[in-house]
Amino acid sequence: MDSGAAAVCAEKASEIIKIGQVDDVQELQRRLCSATTVPERYIRDGDDRPDHAIVDDERAQEQIPVIDVGELQRGGEDELDKLRLACEQWGFFQVVNHGVEEETMEEMEKAAREFFMLPLEEKEKYPMEPGGIQGYGHAFVFSDDQKLDWCNMLALGVEPAFIRRPNLWPTTPANFSETLEKYSVEIRELCVRLLEHIAAALGLAPARLNGMFGEAVQAVRMNFYPPCPRPELVLGLSPHSDGSAVTVLQQDAAFAGLQVLRGGGGWVAVQPVPGALVVNVGDTLEVLTNGRYKSVEHRAVASGEHDRMSVVTFYAPAYDVELGPLPELVADGEPRRYRTYNHGEYSRHYVTSRLQGKKTLEFAKI
């Protein structure tokens, strides 16, 4: 989507989308500090509640794979095989020795947390328009009867330059923009390296994926989940898959709030690993691999005691790239599961749809 189309989309959204009363969740939490319930719009229906479909004891012990990027860089075949299995069987993995400086990660977490701790009137200087995807507020809300997530967000376009909305980049804390710029450069370099190794794990030339992405799109979303008086009734973030090629998430160690859906309907918590980053396969990579690597539904749950914050980077091809299953990955006699489409069209479809599992990927299916 070019900048003009994005502007038209935002203008139309503000004119026709009625989202009703959407409270700032941190302010709501402060008002409810001694309450025993939460507003109706946050209370999930039975099957959607986080205490539904509790995993069994064996599943509760499962851990998503941990990949050593340093070992991949050294040409470790065993580590490359671990990466392949992680993409095939999980769609999620954590990376260590990933090359993003610990100090850079700490500074980004500090700046983001300082922003979320600002008075509401300061944060509201960077408003997310109804139906919009950049700024401070609630994303993916398109109606006044839609269930809401127990989460505040700050979402920003980073690269290419035309997707940026400079008026939505906070000036407080003073070092916010500088910190995000530095962080985003290091995360972008990691995404490029990961896609090289993912291509190699598929038996492709390491440059195959990066070479077709053009001027890759990079966006960041910071999520803040305050404590909730009834965490068993709400979700921090609705189940969904990502529209990206790869997503890189930095989570704090407060508690394991990120959960990944496994076969059979069970949810597995992603336990924080010190210094690690969480990586997941996005819809784009599922399409390119003709389903060999699958994007996986994930969600966030709230805590009754702790707040939690994450910094999430989405990395995807340029909007003008035509996407479909790579010919090298469609074996003889194997059907193509996805059509060829323009990535900008899919991005527009994704950001104007509610988070509903993998429903948005139906756009690409044959």
Side-chain angles (χ1 to χ4, degrees):
M1 186 191 310
D2 61 30
S3 54
V8 169
C9 238
E11 183 179 341
K12 285 184 68 178
S14 64
E15 289 175 359
I16 66 175
I17 293 179
K18 307 295 185 183
I19 64 174
Q21 176 67 31
V22 178
D23 292 302
D24 183 275
V25 181
Q26 287 167 266
E27 298 301 311
L28 188 60
Q29 184 265 335
R30 292 186 183 103
R31 295 201 302 269
L32 296 174
C33 61
S34 60
T36 57
T37 188
V38 293
E40 183 66 26
R41 282 194 76 180
Y42 294 90
I43 298 176
R44 297 289 173 148
D45 297 329
D47 289 353
D48 289 336
R49 292 179 183 177
D51 59 349
H52 183 78
I54 300 297
V55 297
D56 58 33
D57 290 341
E58 182 178 348
R59 170 116 331 144
Q61 301 306 312
E62 284 190 290
Q63 299 287 323
I64 71 169
V66 177
I67 305 296
D68 186 332
V69 180
E71 185 62 23
L72 289 174
Q73 293 290 98
R74 290 187 288 272
E77 289 297 326
D78 289 346
E79 207 67 20
L80 192 66
D81 196 49
K82 280 177 60 179
L83 175 64
R84 177 182 60 80
L85 290 173
C87 292
E88 288 179 350
Q89 298 176 1
W90 281 87
F92 265 79
F93 51 94
Q94 300 200 60
V95 290
V96 295
N97 296 323
H98 42 64
V100 180
E101 295 292 336
E102 182 178 356
E103 181 182 5
T104 302
M105 294 171 61
E106 290 174 350
E107 289 174 351
M108 187 69 258
E109 182 175 338
K110 181 174 182 289
R113 183 169 285 276
E114 286 181 6
F115 172 80
F116 283 114
M117 293 301 109
L118 291 172
L120 179 60
E121 56 269 23
E122 179 66 26
K123 292 182 287 188
E124 287 182 332
K125 292 178 180 178
Y126 315 100
M128 184 179 293
E129 299 158 337
I133 54 167
Q134 292 200 49
Y136 176 75
H138 281 65
F140 304 104
V141 180
F142 299 101
S143 70
D144 57 9
D145 61 354
Q146 182 178 332
K147 294 295 184 182
L148 299 176
D149 293 329
W150 192 262
C151 176
N152 286 335
M153 299 176 176
L154 175 65
L156 300 168
V158 178
E159 297 291 346
F162 73 79
I163 72 169
R164 293 194 181 199
R165 299 275 300 278
N167 59 308
L168 297 178
W169 283 52
T171 56
T172 306
N175 66 338
F176 182 93
S177 292
E178 178 185 353
T179 301
L180 179 56
E181 294 275 16
K182 180 181 178 183
Y183 179 81
S184 295
V185 167
E186 294 190 28
I187 294 292
R188 192 176 183 89
E189 291 171 352
L190 172 62
C191 290
V192 169
R193 290 196 299 274
L194 286 173
L195 286 169
E196 289 176 348
H197 297 306
I198 287 170
L202 288 162
L204 305 173
R208 179 68 170 97
L209 296 174
N210 285 314
M212 64 176 295
F213 273 32
E215 190 175 6
V217 174
Q218 182 176 354
V220 65
R221 190 179 72 224
M222 299 159 211
N223 304 313
F224 187 84
Y225 308 92
C228 179
R230 296 295 301 276
E232 76 280 7
L233 300 180
V234 309
L235 284 175
L237 194 60
S238 300
H240 65 286
S241 63
D242 293 337
S244 58
V246 291
T247 300
V248 178
L249 177 142
Q250 177 180 335
Q251 60 175 342
D252 64 25
F255 77 104
L258 174 64
Q259 296 182 343
V260 177
L261 185 63
R262 290 289 275 158
W267 293 92
V268 176
V270 179
Q271 301 295 336
V273 172
L277 293 164
V278 181
V279 179
N280 63 276
V281 171
D283 293 346
T284 296
L285 206 52
E286 176 168 337
V287 169
L288 290 172
T289 64
N290 201 38
R292 188 177 304 184
Y293 292 175
K294 288 183 171 57
S295 60
V296 174
E297 284 186 54
H298 50 286
R299 68 183 187 181
V301 297
S303 166
E305 301 176 359
H306 306 285
D307 65 40
R308 175 175 171 269
M309 193 186 71
S310 62
V311 181
V312 191
T313 298
F314 305 95
Y315 189 83
Y319 290 130
D320 61 356
V321 171
E322 298 292 312
L323 294 177
L326 295 175
E328 308 97 296
L329 300 181
V330 180
D332 291 341
E334 179 183 355
R336 281 173 56 105
R337 296 179 173 86
Y338 307 95
R339 64 184 179 86
T340 298
Y341 59 89
N342 174 267
H343 180 59
E345 292 178 6
Y346 179 66
S347 296
R348 188 158 37 239
H349 169 71
Y350 187 94
V351 302
T352 55
S353 302
R354 292 173 52 183
L355 297 181
Q356 290 182 285
K358 294 189 67 172
K359 189 176 178 64
T360 51
L361 191 55
E362 293 176 7
F363 171 94
K365 288 182 178 178
I366 293 177

